Amino acid sequence: MGSSASHAMYFNLNRWLKTLNLRLEKLPPFWAVYAFILVETVGEGVLAIPIAVAKIGPLAGIVVLIIIGIVNMITIAALAEASARSGSIRYGEAYLGRLVHDYLGSTGTVVLALSVAAIQLLALISYFVGFSATMAEATNIPSPAWAAGIFIVCFYFLRKGAFASTIAVVLITGTLNVGIILLLSLLTIPHIHVENFLNAGVSHAGFASFEPSLFQLVFGVIFSAYLGHLGVANSAQIALRKDTSARSLVWGSIAAQGSLMLIYCLWVFVVNGAISPSLLAREAGTVLVPLASRIGYPSYLLGSVVMVLGIGVASIVTALGLFYLIREWLPRAIQAPSVLAQEVPARSLEATRVRVAQLLPRDRRFWLSASPVLIVFVYVEWLLFTGQHSFTAPLSFLGVLAAPLIAGVFPILLLIASRAKGDRPTRCGLRWLKSPVLLTAIYAVFVVNLYMHGFVIWEHPIERLAALIAGVAVLAMPVVLMRHGVFAPRAVIELRQDPSPATTGAFAILCNGTAVPAKVHLEYPDHGSFHSSSGEDISDFTSIRRIEFQLAGHAIREVKLWVHRLTSDGDTQGIPVQLTVKSTAKSRRFDLDRGFAVVPVDNGPFSLEVEFSS
């Protein structure tokens, strides 16, 4: 009976979330992007920032918040523009992983996967510690028991599967978090004391007396608190289908980061102004505990909501994300492995995958996928039992090593690559994003942050080594990508069939991310038409038998052909075609079952012939 009630509750929750998600998708695109990025980002970081800046004081903390906030506004705009140039995101079901693969290749994909895995691991450790330590001080129930409780809840959802709509869950919990943080700020204002602004760290001594030990947690925690860049690709599909110019996506992302900066500055000003720096610096849990001792019962009540609906739900979502990330890396179980193993050579890669898959039936795949969450739980229990737990330390480590990759390195590299290889032009109007000096300076901020922690701020040898290794990787990554031709100009030729009416369509031609004219010959069963254009509508798309594109005078290394039809819900399906690439030196022919290919070409005039099947 209990199991039936549990299944019914889970089913009703999923159905309600699906309904809510459909309503959220009807929001204007700017507000949909703004709301999703804002509420997704305001999470555990806001409960750690006052503790992280306690030693340098609120005034210096606000200065750092503003500087890092402006940097993140620039990088999130760069990521939004790169997403807007991607056809996979605009028409398909792609997210950041596919975007990185399309623009930066396998090297970028591996680095991204490792970065996301590190972020999820460290965030889950912080969630478990913060939830357990805070609830233990509020209830007198031992923190290891709370850690076991939150782990059991996460494990339940690992067995059940993901929420029907993670977007709806994020928006609900995030909105509550923002509202509670603002309400707590108002309740704390009467308790502000001026001496807390004057007698703390850098705020008291001035920046001239720089002490590296004061900044142990500052930059890492603040960088992690601004990490809302993953939400850009998640919200881009809805925004780009409603606003093809991408202005809503870009400006909604910038506005969300700007609002975050204001919320964080207000929060630090109020909380650090009301609580003594020494009390905050000693706190191993979240800031809710010292805040409750200052303003009393309302903080306990509101803090409980943040713990359960904020960190609690974030723990579930993060555990699910880590679970599916690991499961995606594992080979799938095979129904008849003995037969398949006989059909491939014994030493081939496929044979190896078959043998590995034989060892991974469904239950074993589940336990392997869930093992990181289990390891995190065991590690957190050890930290709690030995008294070595810290809510801010994992966030600082995350913010220094992993967050710069997602919030700094990838946005800049993706922007540069998308301008050379993008599928769609944009009319975002952000001219300042075209400045090489600005992009180089922003990239340098994240590189300097790593080396400052490796040589100056961090003191533990392992932490220093990790920061220096990450710094070398960040410097080497653009060089490696450049040697692989990732930033080389590309020509993109798109042939698109419209969903309604299905007989219409269009073609578009881009070189180096910009629309360029070409000679186009459309051949029908009984006639042909000639065009010299970068793109035009096609009134009788289904009757075309052959199209020839002739391009000259463009220094490019490869050409991408994309032949597809749009569905009524905005998705895309490839159209099978035959492609012939002709240049001055040679001619090559390809059968494209999915209507997609990226082909290297000689640096000179070339033509593409696309033949449709009858």
Side-chain angles (χ1 to χ4, degrees), residues 115-167:
S115 302
V116 172
I119 287 173
Q120 291 174 327
L121 274 171
L122 292 169
L124 194 60
I125 292 172
S126 181
Y127 291 152
F128 280 11
V129 169
F131 182 88
S132 305
T134 303
M135 296 302 292
E137 292 197 41
T139 62
N140 293 324
I141 297 175
S143 55
W146 283 110
I150 190 65
F151 168 74
I152 291 172
V153 173
C154 290
F155 190 81
Y156 171 81
F157 279 95
L158 294 184
R159 273 297 190 186
K160 287 291 183 180
F163 287 116
S165 173
T166 304
I167 293 178

Side-chain angles (χ1 to χ4, degrees), residues 143-266:
S143 55
W146 283 110
I150 190 65
F151 168 74
I152 291 172
V153 173
C154 290
F155 190 81
Y156 171 81
F157 279 95
L158 294 184
R159 273 297 190 186
K160 287 291 183 180
F163 287 116
S165 173
T166 304
I167 293 178
V169 172
V170 168
L171 284 173
I172 293 170
T173 56
T175 302
L176 288 172
N177 285 341
V178 172
I180 291 174
I181 292 301
L182 293 177
L183 182 56
L184 285 173
S185 299
L186 292 175
L187 294 174
T188 310
I189 288 176
H191 301 276
I192 292 177
H193 294 285
V194 178
E195 59 267 21
N196 290 329
F197 293 99
L198 303 177
N199 300 324
V202 176
S203 297
H204 172 65
F207 281 98
S209 60
F210 175 81
E211 294 183 22
S213 60
L214 298 178
F215 291 84
Q216 286 281 343
L217 302 175
V218 176
F219 295 105
V221 170
I222 292 178
F223 269 119
S224 66
Y226 279 112
L227 190 58
H229 296 64
L230 294 174
V232 174
N234 295 339
S235 58
Q237 294 175 7
I238 297 174
L240 292 175
R241 291 176 185 180
K242 294 181 179 180
D243 179 10
T244 57
S245 71
R247 289 189 180 91
S248 296
L249 176 63
V250 172
W251 288 107
S253 303
I254 294 174
Q257 286 286 319
S259 299
L260 277 171
M261 183 172 64
L262 294 177
I263 292 172
Y264 291 158
C265 289
L266 171 65

Side-chain angles (χ1 to χ4, degrees), residues 45-70:
V46 74
L47 302 179
I49 292 175
I51 299 173
V53 303
K55 291 184 178 181
I56 67 171
L59 300 182
I62 289 173
V63 171
V64 177
L65 279 167
I66 292 174
I67 294 173
I68 296 180
I70 293 173

Side-chain angles (χ1 to χ4, degrees), residues 9 87 90 131 143 156 286 301-302 305 354 383 399 484-485 531 570 573 577 603:
M9 182 179 68
R90 187 179 289 266
F131 182 88
S143 55
Y156 171 81
T286 68
L301 179 61
L302 296 174
V305 177
V354 167
L383 291 176
H484 284 81
H531 307 265
Q573 298 174 346
V577 296
N603 189 9

Side-chain angles (χ1 to χ4, degrees), residues 505-524:
F507 71 84
I509 306 166
L510 280 77
C511 282
N512 210 13
T514 305
V516 297
K519 295 181 179 179
V520 184
H521 176 212
L522 280 67
E523 184 179 303
Y524 296 89

Side-chain angles (χ1 to χ4, degrees), residues 450-465:
L450 287 167
Y451 282 101
M452 282 291 293
H453 281 80
F455 285 116
V456 180
I457 297 177
W458 278 348
E459 299 176 349
H460 195 283
I462 295 179
E463 291 179 337
R464 286 190 164 188
L465 180 62

